[in-house]
Amino acid sequence: MANNVFNVQVFFVVFRESLEAVIVVSVLLAFLKQGLGGSADDPVIYKKLVKQVWWGACLGVLICLIIGGAFIGAFYGLGKDIWGKSEDLWEGIFCIIAAVLISVMGIPMLRINKMKEKWRVKLAQALVKKPSNRKDRFKVGYISKRYALFILPFITCLREGLEAVVFVGGVGLSQPATSFPLPVVCGLIAGIIVGVLLYFFGSSLSLQIFLIISTCILYLISAGLFSRGVWFFENYKYGKQTGGDASEGGSGPGTYDISKSVWHVNCCNPEIDHGWDVFNALFGWQNSATYGSVISYNIYWIVIILILVLMWYEEKTGHLPLTKNLTLRSLNPMYHIKGKKKLELTPEEKQRLFEEVKNQKRTSGTYEEVSSDDKQITDEAKKTSI
Amino acid sequence: MLVLHSFWWLLCALTVAAKTHTFYFNATYVNASPDGTIERRMVGINNKWPIPTIRVKKNDRVKIHFTNLLNENSSLHFHGLFQEGTNAMDGPDMVTQCPVAPGTTFLFDFEVKDQAGTYWYHSHSGAQYSDGLRGLFIVEDDVPLAVDYDEEVTLTVSDFYHDVSGVLVKNFMSRYNPTGAEPIPQNALFNETRNASWVVEPNKTYLLRIANMGIFTSQYLFIENHNFTIIEADGVYVEPREVDSLYLASAQRYSVLVHTKDTVDKNFRFVNILDQDMLDFLPEDLEVISTNWMVYNKKNPLPKPLKNDNIGTTFQDLLKRLNPVDDFYLVPLSKEKLLPDADVVINLDFTMEPLGDGVTYAAFNGISYVPPKVPTLMSVFSSGKYADNSQIYGSNTNSFVIQPNEVVDIVLNNMDPGKHPFHLHGHTFQIISRSPEGQDEENPIKFDPSNSNHTDYPEYPMIRDTVQVHPNGFFVIRFKANNPGVWFFHCHVDWHLEQGLAITLIESPFEIQKQEIIQNHYDSCNRTNIPSYGNAAANYGETKEAWLNLEGENLQVAPLPEGFTQKGYIALVLCTIIAIYGIFSIYKYGMEDVTSEDTEAMIAKLYDILRKNGDTVGNEYHDEAEEPLT
C-alpha cells in the first residue's frame, strides 16, 4: 500500500488504547466524586487526589509515546531491507497479524459500559488490596498508599500504552515510517475526545452510534487486510514460480496467474495507481482478485458474524448455545490456567467491593492527616464495612 | 562406327550423369556429451551422433528411407533446397506432410536441381533439432568455383542446451513464463564439440563451409589475425568480400576462404560467440564466448582461451573489435537485377502477447499460426477446383494463395524488441529493404511506401533464404512465384515457431496438383490417424459451401478476458452483500448495549418521578433499585 502519510490501522489502534486510558481516568475520577479518599468532605484533598490521577495518567501516556517512538524509530533506522525477495510473504504475514489484532480489540469497543465496569472492579480491587508482605507495608506500602491514585493510573496507562506500541508495531511495520506520526496524534485526540464525552454524558445514544460507526469502519478495514494478506501469499507463490519478474510488469497481462484469477482489470491497481490504495485500505480492493482473496474476505466476515451472534446469545442467556456450562470466556485456555473463574465476582460481591472502597478511603485518606489514629480508624473501618 | 561413337558418348554421359544417393536413416536416441560436461540424450541417426553430412552433386537424386525409432514424432526438412516439382518432400509437419510417427518409415525422394552450395537438413517437429537431429547437406556444383582453394573444410556452430527439447518447450510455453522469455542455452558448440583444434598447413587456402545449426542464438565467428573472404551465402554465390568476422543467424550459411600464414610459429584462436543481446538474462554458468584453435604447429602452445565474463564486458569489448559485414550489402555473383514491382504485397505485422491461458504467443496481424487438421499440401490435392480459395486452408494458418509467376513482396514489421531470422521454404529471395534497429517497442519503424529511404531499393539486391530483421524494425523481401508448392515462411528461432510465428504460402495451387504425393506419405498419415483429405478443418463435400465450411478447425487460444467476467461480477456482489450483513451484525450488537443501559436509566428515572409524586409503585421500585441491575 502506497499510503505515505496516514496509516489507518495505526490510527485505530492508538484510538482504542487512548480511549481505554481515558476510561481509566474517568473511572478513578468518578470514584473520587463518589467520596473516595475523603474527598466528599474535604475539597483540598479532592483536588490533590484529582491532580494525582491526572499526573499518573499523563505521565504514563507520555512515557509510552517515548518508548514507542524509540522502538519504531530504531526498527526503521536499522533498515527494512530484510524483506528483499520475500517482500510479498512479509507483507502477507503483517496483513494477517494486523487483521487478527484489530478484530480482537474491535468488539469490546461496542461494550463500552462493560469496559467501564471491568475497570471499576479492577481498580477497586487494587485500592482495597493489602500488600502481602508485612515488611513492605512500611516502605513501598507507605508510598503506594499515599500515592495510590497516582500509581494506579500511571501503571495502567503505561501498560495499556505499551500494549498499543506492540499492536502498532505489529500492524504498521510494513508501511513507511512517515505514515506513523499523523495517525498517532489523530488517534490520541480522537480517543481523548470520546473518553471525555463518555465521562460527561455517560453512554448516550449518539456516543454509541459513533462507536458503532467507527467499529464498522474498523472491521471493514480488517476484512480488507485479511483478504490482502491472502492475496500477498498468492502473489508471492506466483512470483516464485515465474522467477520474480511478474508484478514488476505493472497491471497488464502476464502479471498474474490466470488460473487463479476471479477478475482482473488493467487499471485501478492499488500498488501503482493513485487513489486506489485508499480503496484497498478501506475495502481490500484488488484490481486482480484471486479465488483466495475473495473467499478469505467472505470467510472473515462469516467468522465475525458468528462471534457476534455467540456473544449476543451469551449475553441474553448467560451461556453459549447448546451447552449450559460454557461461556465465551471459558473457551480461552488462559481462563482455566489462571484460575480466573475464582476471580469472577457475583453482583453482590461487586456491590460489597465498591462499598469497601468508599468506606476505606473515607477514613484513611492520606496518612498525613490520620497517621496517629491509624490503627483506631482502620479498626473502625473494619466494623463499618460489610 | 557411328554406333561405337554413340556408345562411347553414352558411356561418357553416364559417368557424368546424375547419381542417385540412397540412405537408410533410422532416427535413434544416442547418449552423448558434446560439451564435455554432462551426458544427455541426443537424437542421432543409426545410433551415431553427430549425424552424417550428406554430400551430393548438382542434379543428383536423393532417396532417404527415414525410419523413426524414437518415442516421439519426427520429420526431416532440407533447408534451402527448392524441391522443384517435389513439394511433398519438403518436410515441415502439417504443411507438406503428416508427422512421421514412431515406427513409421517415410520416404524422401527428390532431385537437387538448379542450385549448389552449403545447405543443411534438420528435424521440423517441435524443437527436436536442438536434440541433435541436424547435419550438413552439401551440393557440389557441376562447374568448378570461380575461386581457387586447396582444401574444403566444413564447420557447424550451434547453441547447446543440457535439457531435452520437450522439457524446454513445456517450461517455455507455460503461464509461469509470462514474459515469454526463451530458454537460455548453456554454451555453444563448434562442429558439435568444444575446444576444438583445426590443424592447418601454412600458405594454403581453405574453403570453409559454415552453417549455424542453432535453434535460437545467432553467432559471431572470427579467427585472430586472419580474415575471411565470403564467396557464398545460403547457396548464393556472391562477389568475394573480405571481412574480419562473420555473423550468422540461426539457419544461415556462408562459404568463406581462409588463407593461412607462411609461418608456423604461432597458433591462433578461432572464436565463436553467442549473440548475448538475444538472451533475456545471463545465468552464471553461461559460456557466451567459446575458444577453439587454428593450429599451425601442434608442438607450439595454444593461446589461452578468452575469458567468459558474464557481466558482459568481455562480450562488449570483443564486439567493438569486430566488423562483420551487413549481409544486405553483399552482391550476388549472378548480378540478378531487382525484380519488377510486386504483383502481390503481403504485409505482416509481428507482435507478441499473452492469450487466455496465460502463455505468450507470437502473431502476424493478430493471428498466431495453429496447424490445420489436414496438411495444407493435402488440402491442395484434395480440393480440386477450390484449391485457389485461400479460405479452405484455415482462418488461423495465415494462408496466402499466390498465382504462377507473380512477383511477391513480403513486408515484415517487427514490433518486438528481438532479433529474428526469417526463412522461406522453396525459394531464395531478394532483400530489397531493411531498416536499422528501431528505438523501442512504442515506436517501431514500420515500412512506409511513401518514405523514399524505405523504398530506395538496390539495383542488385542481395539474395538468400534466411534473413534477420532488426529489433523494432522491418524488412522487405521480393521473389518470383516460379516454384509451385506449399511453402512455409517462419521465424527460425524455433521457440517462436512454437509460439506460432509462421505463415503458409500456397503458390500456384493448380500447378501443385500436377505434382504427386506418393502412397508412402498417405500411409504415414493413416498411421497417425491424421486425415489427409479435406480443408483445414478436414471438411469436404460436393459444393463450394462444403469446402468453405471451417467448422471444427483448430483455432488459437481465446484472448485474455478484458475486465470483469461473469464470475468476477458474482464474486464482487457476494463480497458486498456479506460485508453489508457483517456491518449490520455489528450495528445490532452495538445497539444492544445502549438499549439495556438506557432503558434501565430511563426506567429508574420514571419510577423516581412517580415516587416523588407520591406513587407507591415507585416506592417499591426504589428499594429494589438499591441493588444495581447487571
Side-chain angles (χ1 to χ4, degrees):
Chain A
M1 196 176 91
N3 195 338
N4 280 333
V5 169
F6 193 89
N7 185 330
V8 187
Q9 295 98 297
V10 170
F11 168 76
F12 273 101
V13 170
V14 174
F15 170 62
R16 204 261 184 174
E17 296 299 334
S18 56
L19 186 61
E20 269 211 272
V22 174
I23 287 178
V24 165
V25 169
S26 73
V27 165
L28 284 173
L29 290 177
F31 277 161
L32 283 180
K33 220 181 185 181
Q34 286 170 356
L36 177 67
S39 36
D41 309 326
D42 188 345
V44 175
I45 294 178
Y46 176 70
K47 280 216 182 70
K48 255 200 183 140
L49 294 176
V50 167
K51 253 206 277 184
Q52 270 192 13
V53 171
W54 278 113
W55 269 107
C58 291
L59 214 58
V61 169
L62 195 66
I63 291 183
C64 274
L65 281 177
I66 294 173
I67 293 179
F71 170 62
I72 305 282
F75 186 86
Y76 276 90
L78 289 175
K80 267 180 60 199
D81 292 327
I82 55 176
W83 305 155
K85 265 216 170 124
S86 342
E87 186 181 329
D88 279 344
L89 192 61
W90 283 109
E91 292 249 27
I93 291 174
F94 280 132
C95 279
I96 303 280
I97 291 176
V100 168
L101 287 175
I102 292 178
S103 316
V104 160
M105 72 166 56
I107 290 190
M109 274 175 73
L110 293 172
R111 289 284 183 265
I112 285 291
N113 293 296
K114 255 200 193 162
M115 204 194 281
K116 220 167 65 170
E117 195 58 34
K118 174 185 93 173
W119 278 113
R120 281 182 80 200
V121 172
K122 264 199 188 166
L123 289 169
Q125 284 175 330
L127 284 170
V128 303
K129 205 165 50 163
K130 293 168 180 37
S132 43
N133 196 329
R134 287 209 148 240
K135 259 195 272 178
D136 290 336
R137 270 209 190 198
F138 296 103
K139 289 184 274 185
V140 176
Y142 176 85
I143 297 169
S144 69
K145 267 283 160 65
R146 177 191 171 91
Y147 292 107
L149 284 163
F150 166 83
I151 291 172
L152 208 47
F154 175 72
I155 288 186
T156 316
C157 286
L158 196 63
R159 210 189 51 224
E160 289 297 311
L162 285 176
E163 225 179 81
V165 166
V166 170
F167 280 4
V168 161
V171 161
L173 275 182
S174 58
Q175 310 304 330
T178 50
S179 65
F180 274 79
L182 192 58
V184 167
V185 170
C186 288
L188 275 176
I189 292 176
I192 290 171
I193 289 177
V194 171
V196 163
L197 289 177
L198 202 62
Y199 176 68
F200 282 115
F201 300 113
S203 125
S204 74
L205 187 67
S206 47
L207 188 63
Q208 193 70 2
I209 297 278
F210 169 79
L211 285 172
I212 288 175
I213 292 176
S214 58
T215 309
C216 285
I217 295 179
L218 197 66
Y219 274 95
L220 269 176
I221 291 177
S222 184
L225 272 175
F226 192 72
S227 164
R228 266 177 77 208
V230 174
W231 184 87
F232 272 121
F233 288 142
E234 295 206 294
N235 215 33
Y236 172 71
K237 186 154 161 257
Y238 183 63
K240 287 226 107 166
Q241 282 168 320
T242 58
D245 51 11
S247 36
E248 320 296 310
S251 314
T255 56
Y256 61 100
D257 189 343
I258 183 81
S259 68
K260 301 227 165 63
S261 171
V262 174
W263 75 68
H264 178 96
V265 283
N266 287 347
C267 73
C268 325
N269 185 332
E271 304 219 349
I272 50 187
D273 294 318
H274 282 308
W276 289 97
D277 48 357
V278 176
F279 222 57
N280 178 291
L282 280 180
F283 301 113
W285 159 261
Q286 291 292 349
N287 71 317
S288 180
T290 60
Y291 282 109
S293 73
V294 168
I295 290 177
S296 62
Y297 189 81
N298 290 321
I299 287 181
Y300 178 86
W301 274 119
I302 290 174
V303 167
I304 295 294
I305 291 171
L306 253 158
I307 291 179
L308 285 172
V309 166
L310 286 175
M311 285 177 74
W312 173 83
Y313 188 90
E314 187 185 320
E315 281 175 12
K316 277 261 167 346
T317 60
H319 59 84
L320 289 178
L322 305 176
T323 60
K324 281 271 156 82
N325 299 321
L326 283 179
T327 62
L328 272 178
R329 280 194 80 193
S330 65
L331 285 175
N332 183 349
M334 292 307 286
Y335 181 81
H336 298 282
I337 293 171
K338 281 191 179 169
K340 283 218 174 127
K341 195 162 188 184
K342 303 186 208 132
L343 299 176
E344 262 177 5
L345 302 174
T346 62
E348 297 82 31
E349 288 173 348
K350 278 192 195 159
Q351 182 68 354
R352 246 181 288 144
L353 180 63
F354 293 136
E355 286 298 323
E356 205 179 306
V357 165
K358 257 194 253 183
N359 297 329
Q360 180 187 58
K361 288 297 181 172
R362 187 177 289 151
T363 47
S364 65
T366 60
Y367 275 170
E368 279 174 342
E369 294 197 3
V370 300
S371 50
S372 50
D373 304 338
D374 191 0
K375 202 159 182 292
Q376 178 197 0
I377 287 160
T378 45
D379 284 338
E380 204 180 309
K382 278 188 192 144
K383 270 192 275 176
T384 53
S385 67
I386 304 166
Chain B
M1 197 58 191
L2 199 63
V3 171
L4 207 62
H5 262 160
S6 29
F7 185 74
W8 173 246
W9 279 115
L10 196 62
L11 207 62
C12 281
L14 279 175
T15 52
V16 302
K19 212 175 121 186
T20 301
H21 304 259
T22 310
F23 301 96
Y24 290 88
F25 281 168
N26 297 340
T28 55
Y29 289 123
V30 178
N31 284 335
S33 176
D35 66 346
T37 58
I38 57 144
E39 195 178 81
R40 59 154 284 187
R41 192 187 75 177
M42 311 289 293
V43 173
I45 286 186
N46 298 339
N47 292 316
K48 284 214 198 58
W49 186 84
I51 67 178
T53 300
I54 298 176
R55 188 181 282 268
V56 303
K57 279 195 160 54
K58 189 163 159 187
N59 296 319
D60 279 354
R61 184 168 168 196
V62 176
K63 285 175 82 157
I64 301 180
H65 299 260
F66 180 64
T67 307
N68 181 356
L69 297 180
L70 310 168
N71 315 335
E72 50 193 281
N73 287 341
S74 188
S75 54
L76 280 183
H77 163 58
F78 306 94
H79 187 113
L81 299 191
F82 297 143
Q83 302 289 0
E84 286 172 30
T86 52
N87 182 226
M89 308 298 173
D90 191 32
D93 282 0
M94 299 317 290
V95 179
T96 57
Q97 62 173 79
C98 293
V100 182
T104 325
T105 303
F106 195 90
L107 175 61
F108 292 98
D109 185 0
F110 57 90
E111 283 176 19
V112 183
K113 296 189 282 209
D114 293 335
Q115 61 191 147
T118 317
Y119 302 89
W120 61 302
Y121 68 109
H122 59 89
S123 165
H124 218 285
S125 302
Q128 199 181 57
Y129 82 78
S130 81
D131 290 336
L133 193 51
R134 62 204 180 198
L136 282 173
F137 191 114
I138 299 181
V139 181
E140 288 174 356
D141 211 340
D142 50 4
V143 295
L145 285 182
V147 289
D148 277 330
Y149 63 93
D150 297 307
E151 194 180 320
E152 181 190 301
V153 175
T154 58
L155 168 60
T156 63
V157 291
S158 81
D159 41 29
F160 181 63
Y161 292 86
H162 285 167
D163 286 317
V164 168
S165 67
V167 169
L168 292 171
V169 171
K170 187 160 143 275
N171 291 338
F172 169 62
M173 303 281 287
S174 137
R175 64 175 187 273
Y176 298 123
N177 180 14
T179 52
E182 298 88 1
I184 309 290
Q186 270 61 61
N187 47 40
L189 297 179
F190 185 94
N191 264 345
E192 306 287 27
T193 181
R194 284 176 62 75
N195 306 316
S197 290
W198 174 34
V199 180
V200 296
E201 289 171 37
N203 213 353
K204 267 194 156 168
T205 305
Y206 287 91
L207 174 69
L208 230 54
R209 291 189 187 269
I210 312 177
N212 182 344
M213 304 202 296
I215 199 153
F216 173 32
T217 340
S218 310
Q219 296 209 29
Y220 293 91
L221 270 175
F222 73 93
I223 310 179
E224 287 180 325
N225 299 109
H226 291 74
N227 284 339
F228 298 116
T229 307
I230 303 177
I231 60 168
E232 178 225 322
D234 290 359
V236 174
Y237 293 121
V238 296
E239 288 183 350
R241 183 70 170 267
E242 194 169 340
V243 289
D244 64 1
S245 56
L246 294 171
Y247 181 83
L248 287 104
S250 290
Q252 288 185 330
R253 294 88 62 207
Y254 281 112
S255 287
V256 297
L257 296 174
V258 180
H259 188 78
T260 52
K261 300 199 183 302
D262 295 333
T263 53
V264 293
D265 51 354
K266 274 177 77 173
N267 299 321
F268 298 90
R269 297 187 185 97
F270 194 159
V271 183
N272 61 319
I273 312 169
L274 291 172
D275 187 355
Q276 202 173 273
D277 295 336
M278 294 181 78
L279 305 175
D280 274 351
F281 67 97
L282 305 170
E284 288 278 317
D285 59 344
L286 170 64
E287 300 205 39
V288 169
I289 302 169
S290 305
T291 309
N292 309 281
W293 291 274
M294 187 181 192
V295 177
Y296 283 85
N297 188 337
K298 283 198 222 169
K299 297 205 188 79
N300 287 344
L302 297 173
K304 276 212 301 262
L306 289 178
K307 220 170 28 134
N308 243 310
D309 188 353
N310 74 337
I311 298 171
T313 45
T314 316
F315 175 78
Q316 304 301 345
D317 292 338
L318 276 179
L319 242 53
K320 285 200 203 104
R321 290 173 14 200
L322 299 178
N323 205 5
V325 69
D326 182 344
D327 61 347
F328 185 79
Y329 295 107
L330 295 173
V331 181
L333 210 53
S334 66
K335 280 267 198 313
E336 181 185 298
K337 276 201 146 152
L338 176 69
L339 289 168
D341 282 345
D343 302 304
V344 175
V345 177
I346 298 176
N347 233 34
L348 301 173
D349 286 344
F350 157 38
T351 53
M352 288 229 188
E353 59 191 285
L355 294 179
D357 57 357
V359 178
T360 301
Y361 289 90
F364 277 129
N365 306 332
I367 300 178
S368 175
Y369 176 83
V370 176
K373 285 191 161 161
V374 173
T376 311
L377 180 61
M378 291 172 178
S379 290
V380 174
F381 270 88
S382 55
S383 56
K385 59 183 177 195
Y386 306 117
D388 64 347
N389 188 332
S390 64
Q391 207 177 322
I392 71 171
Y393 302 112
S395 57
N396 231 134
T397 52
N398 285 324
S399 291
F400 299 89
V401 171
I402 305 175
Q403 300 309 325
N405 293 313
E406 279 185 325
V407 175
V408 181
D409 271 5
I410 296 182
V411 174
L412 192 139
N413 292 312
N414 177 13
M415 331 252 250
D416 177 78
K419 301 180 189 177
H420 301 270
F422 283 94
H423 166 55
L424 176 61
H425 290 216
H427 286 276
T428 50
F429 45 75
Q430 294 182 334
I431 311 173
I432 62 179
S433 184
R434 180 161 69 184
S435 79
E437 189 173 327
Q439 256 186 319
D440 55 50
E441 268 181 279
E442 313 298 316
N443 302 303
I445 305 179
K446 287 183 78 166
F447 176 68
D448 178 8
S450 59
N451 184 336
S452 57
N453 285 336
H454 295 181
T455 54
D456 186 15
Y457 303 150
E459 196 183 348
Y460 305 111
M462 176 54 187
I463 303 175
R464 63 187 316 172
D465 64 46
T466 310
V467 64
Q468 185 162 292
V469 69
H470 291 132
N472 301 313
F474 70 86
F475 67 56
V476 182
I477 59 175
R478 181 175 285 180
F479 63 96
K480 189 153 181 193
N482 53 12
N483 185 8
V486 174
W487 306 117
F488 215 25
F489 175 80
H490 62 90
C491 179
H492 220 283
V493 172
D494 224 72
W495 312 123
H496 300 159
L497 179 54
E498 292 300 299
Q499 288 177 304
L501 196 53
I503 72 171
T504 320
L505 296 175
I506 296 108
E507 186 178 322
S508 317
F510 298 123
E511 297 296 315
I512 301 176
Q513 290 174 344
K514 295 182 187 158
Q515 297 179 16
E516 166 190 29
I517 301 181
I518 59 179
Q519 186 55 39
N520 168 270
H521 293 195
Y522 285 113
D523 291 342
S524 169
C525 285
N526 294 337
R527 293 271 314 240
T528 49
N529 285 326
I530 294 177
S532 50
Y533 193 93
N535 63 10
N539 295 333
Y540 53 89
E542 303 297 315
T543 60
K544 187 170 178 200
E545 288 68 38
W547 276 96
L548 294 180
N549 175 19
L550 289 173
E551 211 179 299
E553 65 168 335
N554 293 333
L555 290 171
Q556 66 190 50
V557 181
L560 282 172
E562 298 229 343
F564 275 75
T565 56
Q566 193 189 47
K567 79 177 165 184
Y569 285 119
I570 293 176
L572 196 61
V573 166
L574 194 68
C575 284
T576 318
I577 289 178
I578 219 171
I580 291 175
Y581 188 66
I583 290 182
F584 177 70
S585 314
I586 293 177
Y587 168 78
K588 286 286 304 184
Y589 182 76
M591 288 311 279
E592 281 290 310
D593 203 23
V594 182
T595 36
S596 40
E597 274 283 316
D598 254 5
T599 3
E600 281 170 34
M602 189 65 70
I603 292 175
K605 258 208 186 122
L606 282 173
Y607 275 117
D608 235 14
I609 294 171
L610 286 173
R611 189 171 40 85
K612 280 206 182 104
N613 291 323
D615 199 313
T616 48
V617 180
N619 279 333
E620 289 167 30
Y621 186 80
H622 185 70
D623 297 325
E624 290 169 24
E626 297 289 358
E627 294 173 24
L629 299 162
T630 36

